[in-house]
Amino acid sequence: QYLTIMPSACDSLIDDIEDMVSASDPTPHERQSARKTIIPRARKRKEQLLSEELQADSVIPGTQKIWMKTWGCSHNNSDGEYMAGQLAASGYKMTENPSEADLWLLNSCTVKNPAEDHFRNSIKRAQEQQKKVVVAGCVPQAQPRMDYLKGLSIIGVQQIDRVVEVVDEAVKGHSVRLLGQKKDGGRRLGGARLDLPKIRKNPLIEIISINTGCLNACTYCKTKHARGDLASYPIDELVERARQSFQEGVCEIWLTSEDTGAYGRDIGTDLPTLLWRLVEEIPDGAMLRLGMTNPPYILEHLEEMAKILNHPRVYAFLHVPVQSASDSVLMDMKREYCIDDFRRVVDFLKERVPGITIATDIICGFPGETDEDFQETVELVRLYRFPSLFINQFYPRPGTPAAKMEQVPAHVKKQRTKELSQLFHSYNPYDHKIGERQHVLVTEESFDAQYYVAHNKFYEQVLVPKRPEFKGKMIEVDIYEAGKHFLKGRPVDDSKPFTPSIATPLQKGEVSGLTQHTHRLAHTLSLSCTNT
């Protein structure tokens, strides 16, 4: 018996997967294992011909090639890694070649207009090439009814654990949208489980989302519309995820969220408590990098944070976005701090954590920003000479309060962005490092493929010779050159590389978090997909 479901021009909308899949239908895993139990039987010639004809027209989910593109922050990248892992574990083959893929999974970012423009253009390109399309990330979560998303399947930011179900339906031509929130007894959860299969973009680096959403209501921010209010993962789950990562050969962990400083406020704990627990799990030579935190929530933890950032297995690095040095602009942004609060954070940490790297963000041309407001920001950069500075020309995001405010003229925004960029490029933050001897952790390859990229205790980028024995190792180098964004290190002759990993790292593209049996099954299905 054969059942054929005919979509109406692929634009029918199914609000939830349950509308298409009943409780009695097989799960993706049951679908795979069922192949072993199929027993062929003799048929009459006519039945065989009919069967072959129907089979030729049918679509078998789990045998297609998928190309995934992710835009945006490390939280989004973590979501992308989880989605890729689940798809690979279910038999789909992830490919880095978009032209050979049957389906494109596009994981979007809504922070800036250009990122959404790239996302929209990718959808158009996929459709022109007759590719199936599934969209994910903050854009469709915040604005699922946008015209250019019509008829497309959507995976909400808290529904990434159901990516296989959505893709299964999309390859059959059905449109499915899962945009709900995960809740437990009415309380919103941080998101999908942390122990799901994933494919790390870099097998040496584990990205862990510690919470989703935030406690702010910034007037320019579209991400809030997608990620919502603060929802934190329990400490025990985060510690277990870190432990599992180290057992898979990871030597660096990044903690990410929309605001790491607010972690735990919804579940009766706080960021320092989490960090002290995680530090206990980090092997010698491995490192932890803390993600972005807004000033209000780090202020009350400064003493503990200074102690943690001084720990030998934690990078002395903190990303604290200031956005503007004008109190009136900060008030219009609803940033919930004044510039003195930001200065207090930076001054305290610079004093207590010698050499610390403070990275920050600045928006140029926010509505209502005067020349005097902008000059206050210029003076802040001139004073602190931030080694890492993200300068953003203001873009009004649809649906945000800032989009309705009186805008600064485009040419003024452009000029202010240019002026601040020129100031940033006028100083060299690393020149004084030449001649230093440093221990650095080697984790990746440079963009030009000429060097390996390592980081020192202050998370400063150090380029080292591309020798295979250095990858994933802590090595000792002498700094002999400094650029605007990097240092170059020469390995010390009599120093031996130290291996922080407690296990052999996974291969690039290998699925994390699978049992041996499941991994063998996924590998077998992946091979069969390659051969079909």
Side-chain angles (χ1 to χ4, degrees), residues 174-347:
H174 305 144
S175 177
V176 181
R177 297 188 165 200
L178 300 183
L179 294 163
Q181 305 294 320
K182 294 214 180 295
K183 294 183 179 179
D184 180 18
R187 184 178 69 82
R188 186 164 173 263
L189 300 177
R193 296 194 336 263
L194 293 171
D195 60 351
L196 294 169
K198 73 190 298 188
I199 296 178
R200 297 187 183 94
K201 189 174 179 182
N202 184 337
L204 298 173
I205 298 174
E206 167 73 358
I207 306 172
I208 302 178
S209 170
I210 62 173
N211 56 267
T212 192
C214 69
L215 294 171
N216 296 346
C218 300
T219 55
Y220 56 82
C221 183
K222 190 77 176 172
T223 307
K224 177 80 173 188
H225 296 200
R227 298 282 182 179
D229 292 327
L230 179 70
S232 305
Y233 284 98
I235 287 180
D236 287 345
E237 290 181 22
L238 294 165
V239 170
E240 182 54 38
R241 180 68 209 181
R243 190 179 292 134
Q244 179 193 330
S245 302
F246 290 126
Q247 289 167 354
E248 292 179 336
V250 161
C251 62
E252 186 170 290
I253 282 185
W254 297 356
L255 300 185
T256 182
S257 77
E258 283 64 59
D259 186 352
T260 59
Y263 171 79
R265 284 173 169 250
D266 57 318
I267 57 172
T269 186
D270 56 37
L271 181 62
T273 303
L274 168 65
L275 293 175
W276 283 125
R277 284 283 306 278
L278 286 172
V279 161
E280 296 172 8
E281 303 295 329
I282 304 172
D284 285 340
M287 298 295 288
L288 181 147
R289 190 193 82 175
L290 185 58
M292 187 271 285
T293 175
N294 284 310
Y297 307 110
I298 207 71
L299 271 168
E300 63 193 72
H301 300 311
L302 285 177
E303 289 276 359
E304 283 301 295
M305 289 305 300
K307 293 176 188 173
I308 290 163
L309 292 168
N310 274 312
H311 193 282
R313 296 193 291 277
V314 178
Y315 285 118
F317 167 88
L318 202 59
H319 180 193
V320 190
V322 64
Q323 306 301 7
S324 173
S326 162
D327 282 342
S328 64
V329 173
L330 291 173
M331 187 175 297
D332 288 342
M333 290 178 171
K334 287 196 174 177
R335 289 292 286 168
E336 299 185 12
Y337 58 87
C338 62
I339 193 58
D340 283 346
D341 292 331
F342 175 81
R343 290 174 186 267
R344 189 145 62 92
V345 170
V346 176
D347 292 343

Side-chain angles (χ1 to χ4, degrees), residues 19 122 173 178 240 351 380 409 426 464 500:
D19 295 338
S122 294
L178 300 183
E240 182 54 38
E351 179 188 343
L380 184 81
S426 70
V464 301

